[in-house]
Amino acid sequence: PVVKGDDNDKYLHTTFEGKKNSSGTLFVDANNSDEFADRNTFIYGHNMKNGSMFRALNDMTDQEFFWRHHIFCINTGNGFDNYEVISCYATTASDANTWRISFEDDVDYENWLKKITDRCTYDCVDYDVDKNTITLSTCRGKTGGPGRFVVHLQKKN
């Protein structure tokens, strides 16, 4: 399950059932709406050594792994939908361009989509300015460090 709290700290070390746990749970950014209605919705998860949570996102750097796993099935509360990767790359927690939720208008959103897709090393599916984006994010590198790996998704046609 993916949960949402009042801040982005609660579920770092709390399960969706509210129990303390170092693995935490997958959670939506506290600044996002509850209905995946924002132009970009963030879902965060730990990069666990045991392979759980969002550990596999970092494996997207391997082209063979990427092409075997470039479609994600997500239950957004309105049923299951397939999402395709439009971009994935290593970044940092301070990369302001990656961490955007809202946009001034369609032109601003399309400019952002162009920037993030230009960062991908693979020839992913084309983005669609009329579709919202879901961004999956996990840590990369040293625990507690600034490294992140993100995967941007849009609903498959």
Side-chain angles (χ1 to χ4, degrees):
V2 177
V3 297
K4 183 174 179 254
D6 295 332
D7 60 45
N8 287 337
D9 293 325
K10 177 178 181 176
Y11 289 108
L12 284 173
H13 303 291
T14 304
T15 68
F16 67 94
E17 299 159 324
K19 297 177 182 171
K20 290 283 185 197
N21 185 304
S22 61
S23 298
T25 195
L26 303 179
F27 64 95
V28 171
D29 192 290
N31 296 305
N32 277 117
S33 71
D34 293 340
E35 304 294 324
F36 291 89
D38 295 311
R39 291 311 285 267
N40 186 29
T41 297
F42 286 97
I43 302 175
Y44 304 109
H46 283 301
N47 174 7
M48 301 302 293
K49 289 180 185 176
N50 68 6
S52 65
M53 299 301 164
F54 276 174
R55 167 59 188 92
L57 293 185
N58 282 292
D59 293 335
M60 296 297 256
T61 58
D62 176 77
Q63 190 168 10
E64 185 178 323
F65 182 90
F66 172 84
W67 285 114
R68 284 195 328 259
H69 300 92
H70 69 282
I71 297 176
F72 288 70
C73 183
I74 298 176
N75 183 348
T76 60
N78 297 317
F80 290 91
D81 291 312
N82 287 325
Y83 286 78
E84 291 182 288
V85 176
I86 61 167
S87 186
C88 61
Y89 52 89
T91 187
T92 64
S94 61
D95 178 5
N97 191 56
T98 298
W99 310 108
R100 295 192 59 191
I101 291 174
S102 59
F103 302 85
E104 293 176 25
D105 53 29
D106 286 347
V107 173
D108 186 30
Y109 181 56
E110 186 167 19
N111 288 335
W112 177 78
L113 288 168
K114 173 113 177 73
K115 286 177 186 175
I116 64 163
T117 55
D118 283 349
R119 294 178 76 174
C120 189
T121 57
Y122 307 119
D123 190 17
C124 300
V125 297
D126 291 333
Y127 62 81
D128 185 339
V129 72
D130 295 323
K131 293 180 180 180
N132 292 343
T133 302
I134 293 177
T135 300
L136 310 178
S137 173
T138 194
C139 338
R140 182 175 178 87
K142 286 181 130 180
T143 301
R148 301 290 183 270
F149 195 82
V150 293
V151 176
H152 300 285
L153 311 167
Q154 285 188 333
K155 192 182 286 189
K156 187 175 162 123
N157 290 335

